[in-house]
Amino acid sequence: MLSHWRSSSTYEVEGLLHYKDLIPRLEVALGKFSKMDSAEVIQPVRTTVPLQKYNGFLGLMPAYLVHEDILCTKLVCFYKRESGSTLPSTQATVLLFDPEYGNVKAVMDGEVITAKRTAAVSAISAKLLMPAKSEVLTILGAGHQALSHYNVFTETFSFKEVRVWSRRKEMAERFAQSTQGHVTVWESVEEAVNGADVIVTVTGASEPVLFGQWVKPGAHVAAVGACRPDWRELDDVLMRQAEVYVDSREGAIAESGDIILSGAKVFAELGEVLNGTRPALREKTTVFKSLGMGIQDAVSAKLVFEQWKSKH
Ligand SMILES: NC(=O)C1=CN([C@@H]2O[C@H](COP(=O)(O)OP(=O)(O)OC[C@H]3O[C@@H](n4cnc5c(N)ncnc54)[C@H](O)[C@@H]3O)[C@@H](O)[C@H]2O)C=CC1
Ligand SMILES: O=C([O-])C1=[NH+]CCC1
């Protein structure tokens, strides 16, 4: 039996999970997921328990990758926070099991895993779908996901300009000061996205913040927030004019307000594009609607555990 590891340290997981290792494993997992073969991947849609009193949700995200023998679940609480709140908006713990015995092999901090695997999947969407000559990246939101997206997008691609907008300008300014490279702060979403080739929406919004009329034709939008059926980040115009890609069709039609309320049709899962069964329509305006999947946490947790074991 493998040794048992407990870590509540965000710092420890941070040092063990690297995009160069994570991205290829996520691509394989997304491809397998989209083959819809339950002999390969078992991942029910997230079970969500509303915490009405606190404007939040507890999400349970189990997954089993059969050939890799990775059995994992994430427990994630996420909240809609008022402007100025100092409470965290996402807290997560990841449990990695030994599938044969059923014992827990590792308990890990899930915040870094959530931040990095979500950003890595958005980077995969951009790699497949952004315009061939993409020079301007705009990030809407200035929290944890904004930073992980900045990091992986600037590590993976060569943008000439990176812009940020946040509903509180001082947060956008703080974000711009915290990044390695130069980031410009914009006062309005309309100005921030004007001419942008790639737009990442990582806000806690429940009403649209990004409107289709502002988006350059052919741009790619990675839409990461609004993970509830009645929450929005994108308006109907954008949802209907874009080709919509998702991580999971099943998850999207159950959980994405942007898809459900706009009536937009899902064109493909990212895994189908990776498998070559659906095309990447790079020349069109594209939206990747991310909701997050248990398999993404599972491959991340396995990587973290492997790295940890190699050092102990
Ligand atoms: N798709 C996925 O796999 C995942 C999605 N998420 C979602 O991504 C979003 C960002 O998460 P974090 O960066 O961890 O949160 P965070 O709290 O660190 O940052 C949220 C950002 O959104 C802004 N914001 C909050 N409410 C807003 C509103 N009503 N209008 C405009 N801006 C608003 C905040 O000022 C802040 O800049 C959340 O919606 C979260 O639920 C989080 C984890 C995984
Ligand atoms: O996949 C994930 O961890 C989450 N999606 C929405 C909030 C948390």
Side-chain angles (χ1 to χ4, degrees):
M1 253 200 292
L2 290 166
S3 52
H4 183 113
W5 176 48
R6 266 178 200 278
S7 166
S8 56
S9 157
T10 302
Y11 180 77
E12 192 172 10
V13 177
E14 177 78 54
L16 297 171
L17 190 59
H18 305 288
Y19 290 119
K20 68 173 176 28
D21 308 317
L22 182 56
I23 288 175
R25 296 226 190 164
L26 285 170
E27 286 175 339
V28 171
L30 291 169
K32 284 192 174 178
F33 174 78
S34 292
K35 287 189 179 145
M36 295 188 66
D37 178 356
S38 60
E40 285 265 12
V41 176
I42 301 169
Q43 181 201 270
V45 173
R46 172 167 47 216
T47 297
T48 313
V49 177
L51 312 170
Q52 210 166 356
K53 197 168 150 188
Y54 301 107
N55 240 334
F57 298 87
L58 166 64
L60 307 179
M61 304 179 63
Y64 182 38
L65 287 120
V66 179
H67 289 291
E68 295 85 346
D69 220 19
I70 312 175
L71 179 63
C72 181
T73 192
K74 185 166 79 178
L75 311 172
V76 57
C77 284
F78 57 101
Y79 301 85
K80 186 164 138 44
R81 298 293 190 205
E82 294 311 318
S83 186
S85 166
T86 52
L87 297 172
S89 64
T90 309
Q91 301 246 49
T93 302
V94 175
L95 306 183
L96 191 61
F97 295 86
D98 181 324
E100 187 179 2
Y101 290 85
N103 59 300
V104 174
K105 283 199 300 196
V107 182
M108 306 177 193
D109 170 83
E111 270 131 70
V112 170
I113 287 179
T114 303
K116 287 196 171 181
R117 61 71 149 150
T118 308
V121 172
S122 297
I124 293 168
S125 85
K127 195 161 77 167
L128 298 168
L129 299 169
M130 71 183 188
K133 195 162 170 282
S134 285
E135 296 186 338
V136 179
L137 166 68
T138 298
I139 301 175
L140 303 178
H144 295 87
Q145 290 289 341
L147 190 58
S148 56
H149 278 73
Y150 171 84
N151 287 335
V152 71
F153 274 67
T154 53
E155 194 176 307
T156 313
F157 310 112
S158 308
F159 291 103
K160 286 195 176 150
E161 189 185 344
V162 183
R163 306 172 182 172
V164 67
W165 166 89
S166 184
R167 68 175 166 171
R168 287 171 60 211
K169 193 179 174 204
E170 66 271 23
M171 297 305 288
E173 280 164 350
R174 198 182 298 172
F175 175 85
Q177 280 156 16
S178 74
T179 54
Q180 298 257 314
H182 183 62
V183 175
T184 53
V185 174
W186 295 68
E187 299 238 356
S188 77
V189 175
E190 182 174 0
E191 290 169 317
V193 302
N194 183 20
D197 302 292
V198 179
I199 302 167
V200 173
T201 62
V202 274
T203 75
S206 50
E207 303 292 334
V209 290
L210 180 62
F211 292 81
Q213 70 195 70
W214 302 334
V215 175
K216 177 166 115 173
H220 175 59
V221 179
V224 172
C227 297
R228 295 296 305 153
D230 55 348
W231 291 0
R232 304 289 302 263
E233 270 191 319
L234 316 182
D235 79 335
D236 284 354
V237 172
L238 178 54
M239 288 306 294
R240 290 189 195 139
Q241 77 191 11
E243 298 295 344
V244 178
Y245 294 74
V246 295
D247 39 19
S248 153
R249 273 199 175 80
E250 211 185 354
I253 58 175
E255 291 192 322
S256 168
D258 286 329
I259 289 173
I260 298 164
L261 300 176
S262 68
K265 295 276 166 293
V266 173
F267 179 74
E269 292 180 347
L270 283 190
E272 293 175 305
V273 180
L274 290 162
N275 291 338
T277 54
R278 299 288 280 166
L281 302 173
R282 214 183 253 286
E283 69 290 351
K284 300 219 173 158
T285 305
T286 50
V287 165
F288 165 54
K289 178 58 225 157
S290 161
L291 288 153
M293 300 202 288
I295 56 161
Q296 299 164 359
D297 301 308
V299 296
S300 307
K302 176 80 181 321
L303 257 175
V304 169
F305 192 61
E306 278 172 9
Q307 289 289 318
W308 176 80
K309 276 217 321 175
S310 72
K311 291 180 191 335
H312 292 83

